[in-house]
Amino acid sequence: MTPAGLSIPADARLRGVNINPRFVADGRVSTSDVWVDFWQRWEFDTWIRPMIDDALDIGANSIRVFGNTHVVTSRMIDIQDYLRRWAQVLDYATSHGLFVLACGGDLSHWGPGTDWDSAQRLYRIWGALLRRYPHVVGIDVTNEASDQSQARTPLSYSGPQPWYRLVQNLGETVRAASGKPITHSRSLKSKYQWRSGCVITDSLSDFLSIHCYYTPDPDDPDPLES
């Protein structure tokens, strides 16, 4: 059994950044398929490593790395290349003592070829890689699943299974393969969503990962303790 909560020392507090796709001069991301582009181009020396270095320079002790299913299931890159790219960023981050929160991707960049079986296989192999890294302290199965499940784009998840059954299955798969605690992150835009943001995914999580899209007051999270 994986214990609930992030795998960090009891007195630790994470201070970190997301590793993001590259932006061009006018502020747009480099292509419309941002996470496909990120993993297919894989600009480690010119974009990803400098971003990690910048995080270290400002005192970060952690990073969040965001994966993508479509780039593999569409065969733009094969699964071994995908895993090697994950290993490259994990090796570099952990060699500098950074904790890592790994994310599998999101349902709005899922890909039409990412069916239940291909997603489960990818998550199982990816989870086995993450098991090798003690500094990977948790796994976000899919980013903001309850919100992203409502997206309607050419790459959005459109399988016959309900989205919440899919992410439940993938969470169980990656938890077993990695031995890591898992979460299904969610967003909120007001103080009134802390308790009831997404009961379905909160109940499947070993810890909560909440993305605030407003400036919270210090006591806004208090409902989580009651």
Side-chain angles (χ1 to χ4, degrees), residues 116-209:
W116 183 290
D117 290 339
S118 61
Q120 188 178 56
R121 176 174 178 268
L122 176 57
Y123 270 69
R124 184 183 299 112
I125 297 171
W126 176 60
L129 171 70
L130 299 179
R131 180 182 283 272
R132 294 164 30 195
Y133 292 88
H135 275 66
V136 174
V137 296
I139 299 170
D140 186 3
V141 178
T142 63
N143 181 64
E144 300 178 6
S146 58
D147 296 303
Q148 296 296 328
S149 67
Q150 302 173 46
R152 297 293 179 267
T153 73
L155 297 185
S156 294
Y157 173 70
S158 59
Q161 299 87 359
W163 68 267
Y164 50 86
R165 294 297 182 204
L166 172 75
V167 300
Q168 178 183 21
N169 174 271
L170 295 180
E172 292 168 354
T173 296
V174 77
R175 184 198 283 121
S178 69
K180 310 284 186 182
I182 63 108
T183 191
H184 300 271
S185 62
R186 59 177 169 94
S187 67
L188 49 80
K189 297 178 176 64
S190 78
K191 65 183 297 180
Y192 304 105
Q193 295 177 296
W194 281 91
R195 185 194 295 273
S196 57
C198 187
V199 175
I200 294 173
T201 53
D202 284 359
S203 67
L204 301 174
S205 299
D206 299 316
F207 63 96
L208 296 184
S209 176

Side-chain angles (χ1 to χ4, degrees), residues 19-38:
I19 302 303
N20 294 318
R22 179 168 59 85
F23 287 75
V24 294
D26 63 0
R28 293 179 294 108
V29 290
S30 51
T31 75
S32 58
D33 299 332
V34 293
W35 293 111
V36 170
D37 183 68
F38 178 85

Side-chain angles (χ1 to χ4, degrees), residues 46-161:
T46 58
W47 179 252
I48 297 165
R49 185 172 62 190
M51 201 182 321
I52 297 172
D53 292 340
D54 287 346
L56 289 164
D57 287 345
I58 62 172
N61 67 356
S62 56
I63 60 171
R64 182 171 179 262
V65 184
F66 198 121
N68 181 254
T69 52
H70 180 59
V71 74
V72 175
T73 59
S74 64
R75 301 183 181 178
M76 295 181 196
I77 63 174
D78 66 32
I79 194 168
Q80 294 307 317
D81 282 336
Y82 183 66
L83 296 177
R84 278 191 289 270
R85 291 171 187 186
W86 265 101
Q88 188 176 27
V89 70
L90 292 172
D91 287 340
Y92 189 74
T94 58
S95 72
H96 287 79
L98 290 170
F99 296 117
V100 178
L101 179 61
C103 178
D106 72 37
L107 297 178
S108 64
H109 297 88
W110 202 245
T114 313
D115 59 21
W116 183 290
D117 290 339
S118 61
Q120 188 178 56
R121 176 174 178 268
L122 176 57
Y123 270 69
R124 184 183 299 112
I125 297 171
W126 176 60
L129 171 70
L130 299 179
R131 180 182 283 272
R132 294 164 30 195
Y133 292 88
H135 275 66
V136 174
V137 296
I139 299 170
D140 186 3
V141 178
T142 63
N143 181 64
E144 300 178 6
S146 58
D147 296 303
Q148 296 296 328
S149 67
Q150 302 173 46
R152 297 293 179 267
T153 73
L155 297 185
S156 294
Y157 173 70
S158 59
Q161 299 87 359

